[in-house]
Amino acid sequence: MYDVIVIGAGPIGLYLATKFKERGYSVLVLEKKERIGEKPCTGLVSPHIFSFVPKEDFYIEREFSRAIIWIEDKPFRFFGRAVLLNRQRFDQYLFEKAKAKGVEIVLKQSALKVEETKDFVSVITKDKKIFKGKIVAGCDGALSTVGQQLGFPFQKRLLLGVITYLPNKKLLQQQEAPELFFSKEFPGFFAWQVPRSNCIEYGLALEVKYKPKERLIRFLRDKFKITNLKDFRISLIPFYPLKKTIKERVFLCGDAAGQNKPYTGGGLVYGLTCAQIASDIIDPDAPDFEIYEKKWRKILQREIFFEDLIRRCYRLPNLIKRIALRFLSQKKNLDQDRLLNSIFFQ
Ligand SMILES: Cc1cc2nc3c(=O)[nH]c(=O)nc-3n(C[C@H](O)[C@H](O)[C@H](O)COP(=O)(O)OP(=O)(O)OC[C@H]3O[C@@H](n4cnc5c(N)ncnc54)[C@H](O)[C@@H]3O)c2cc1C
């Protein structure tokens, strides 16, 4: 019997597991994939990330002090610090840290069934292995098996993110900032171009029905005359929290709970914030998850409400968007992970 079983060795599961272990609990992580850090993710975060992990060259590709937002063909400049993580290395770093602390991590072990009893939770894997824990944390991403097994609300607010990379050194030297593109071709969300350390990343996130991959290919062809890219990687992005993220002995955290910024889908800083709260206050011997649910909502609720309003504005006419962006571009220090606070309270 483990004190804590974490399903999913993404960044949120690995961080949560390490924090529980640091408090002296026995912790098991089950991960369905063979390797760590395979999720396609841009990894653009605010410097808040360093309240959870130390600043290490190993997983930081670049730092930026500004971004450009295009409304069709009109650019707006924004000022605010951002850090570009190498997601594969970031996850690898968290994995090594968890192992060094003594967290038990089993790869290629997909959780299939999760059953809650009065005193413990059983996790049955695809290989028919059974693990028992006093509590279980579902950190298994947007289509959480844990969530589905225990009848958590189904995540309806999902985007399909598509990314591809262009290894063009000459073009890379001309790019100094991430750029976001709003266009009538991208209903309800946006495309992006991010100069990485050795290539340029292009991406687009949209609801599945809008076929983001096809639109990204068209956008790259029409705007940048790029036609030779073949390697497109896709993954789901939740953009709003579930109504409920707790049961008696099971709770959800990270993308599984929809702890993402509604206006970008970014989930690293929000997920780590919630994992920190969970590992600080949950006691596996006397689990009372209400306090976790209340606390993370209290801390993120105002930001999430405001960011959801911003996302809804993506569908407004360009003229209104341009007026709003002109206002925002006068702000000196925009903080992508505390947007409301940095616009109105600084
Ligand atoms: C294209 C794209 C771009 C993004 N860009 C950014 C960005 O710039 N900034 C930002 O902050 N966020 C970004 N995000 C979001 C970010 O990637 C997620 O918020 C983050 O990965 C959430 O981490 P997580 O650990 O909750 O989930 P995940 O990273 O999804 O990890 C879940 C883990 O659970 C495992 N798993 C799933 N099911 C099972 C099972 N049944 N049994 C065992 N293991 C299982 C998976 O294999 C995976 O390893 C982006 C996402 C996408 C798709």
Side-chain angles (χ1 to χ4, degrees):
M1 173 85 89
Y2 292 88
D3 290 322
V4 186
I5 299 181
V6 176
I7 313 292
I12 310 306
L14 290 169
Y15 182 79
L16 183 71
T18 307
K19 291 285 146 186
F20 269 119
K21 186 72 201 179
E22 282 173 357
R23 280 179 61 199
Y25 295 115
S26 58
V27 186
L28 170 72
V29 178
L30 299 175
E31 165 57 46
K32 80 170 171 192
K33 294 207 175 130
E34 200 174 348
R35 281 185 292 271
I36 296 292
E38 296 208 314
K39 176 155 179 169
C41 169
T42 309
L44 199 60
V45 290
S46 69
H48 288 287
I49 196 81
F50 302 126
S51 27
F52 305 101
V53 289
K55 198 168 176 180
E56 299 264 358
D57 288 346
F58 176 66
Y59 53 73
I60 298 172
E61 279 194 40
R62 291 188 71 160
E63 292 189 58
F64 302 108
S65 55
R66 64 193 172 91
I68 300 166
I69 297 187
W70 294 80
I71 305 288
E72 300 294 349
D73 51 4
K74 183 146 180 45
F76 295 83
R77 270 163 232 287
F78 292 88
F79 298 94
R81 289 175 59 215
V83 180
L84 185 67
L85 305 176
N86 178 315
R87 245 316 279 277
Q88 197 173 15
R89 287 182 165 213
F90 184 64
D91 288 19
Q92 198 64 45
Y93 170 86
L94 293 172
F95 175 70
E96 296 299 342
K97 187 128 194 207
K99 271 201 321 191
K101 291 273 173 190
V103 173
E104 205 177 311
I105 306 175
V106 190
L107 301 178
K108 272 176 51 185
Q109 205 61 235
S110 180
L112 209 59
K113 280 190 177 172
V114 184
E115 290 165 357
E116 227 181 15
T117 70
K118 196 171 135 295
D119 300 314
F120 62 89
V121 188
S122 305
V123 179
I124 301 146
T125 67
K126 217 170 162 185
D127 296 351
K128 302 203 167 39
K129 293 200 171 117
I130 301 175
F131 299 91
K132 286 185 181 168
K134 291 177 186 165
I135 62 170
V136 163
C139 301
D140 49 346
L143 291 180
S144 168
T145 303
V146 178
Q148 290 176 40
Q149 279 288 304
L150 289 164
F152 280 87
F154 185 70
Q155 178 60 272
K156 293 191 195 120
R157 304 202 209 186
L158 283 175
L159 302 169
L160 185 65
V162 186
I163 50 182
T164 186
Y165 306 100
L166 179 72
N168 184 328
K169 287 237 165 73
K170 212 167 146 200
L171 206 58
L172 186 59
Q173 280 160 8
Q174 296 159 15
Q175 311 289 328
E176 282 175 17
E179 301 187 28
L180 309 186
F181 302 90
F182 289 83
S183 154
K184 60 178 179 358
E185 289 298 309
F186 313 141
F189 229 71
F190 56 82
W192 62 89
Q193 169 187 279
V194 175
R196 306 202 67 96
S197 56
N198 57 358
C199 64
I200 302 177
E201 175 186 313
Y202 293 96
L204 173 63
L206 289 176
E207 287 173 57
V208 177
K209 67 179 177 190
Y210 293 121
K211 304 192 171 139
K213 184 176 163 191
E214 285 174 24
R215 286 182 194 240
L216 180 60
I217 290 172
R218 235 176 15 236
F219 173 65
L220 292 173
R221 185 195 62 204
D222 297 347
K223 176 132 182 116
F224 302 107
K225 311 279 176 277
I226 299 171
T227 53
N228 55 348
L229 297 181
K230 296 214 165 43
D231 185 19
F232 290 86
R233 303 185 63 205
I234 59 168
S235 192
L236 289 168
I237 310 177
F239 62 90
Y240 203 78
L242 296 182
K243 279 210 174 77
K244 197 160 186 247
T245 61
I246 57 168
K247 293 272 170 182
E248 296 302 310
R249 288 185 171 272
V250 176
F251 69 98
L252 304 181
C253 198
D255 275 21
Q259 289 158 339
N260 302 61
K261 295 181 284 183
Y263 79 115
T264 65
L268 290 168
V269 168
Y270 278 16
L272 292 172
T273 305
C274 298
Q276 178 77 61
I277 293 169
S279 61
D280 279 349
I281 60 181
I282 290 173
D283 175 359
D285 292 311
D288 172 10
F289 294 156
E290 291 286 343
I291 179 169
Y292 158 70
E293 178 109 280
K294 277 197 189 130
K295 191 154 182 197
W296 78 256
R297 287 193 197 275
K298 190 170 170 207
I299 288 179
L300 296 182
Q301 190 150 302
R302 274 196 331 167
E303 285 292 341
I304 286 176
F305 178 77
F306 177 70
E307 292 169 7
D308 195 44
L309 281 181
I310 300 253
R311 186 189 52 79
R312 286 165 197 268
C313 294
Y314 293 171
R315 288 183 185 269
L316 293 178
N318 284 341
L319 180 66
I320 301 178
K321 283 195 291 229
R322 284 179 182 152
I323 293 169
L325 287 183
R326 197 160 297 137
F327 162 72
L328 287 184
S329 61
Q330 286 158 9
K331 298 277 164 190
K332 285 282 164 276
N333 260 322
L334 282 177
D335 178 342
Q336 57 166 312
D337 285 306
R338 295 289 181 271
L339 194 61
L340 172 71
N341 205 45
S342 66
I343 294 175
F344 295 110
F345 303 110
Q346 268 183 12

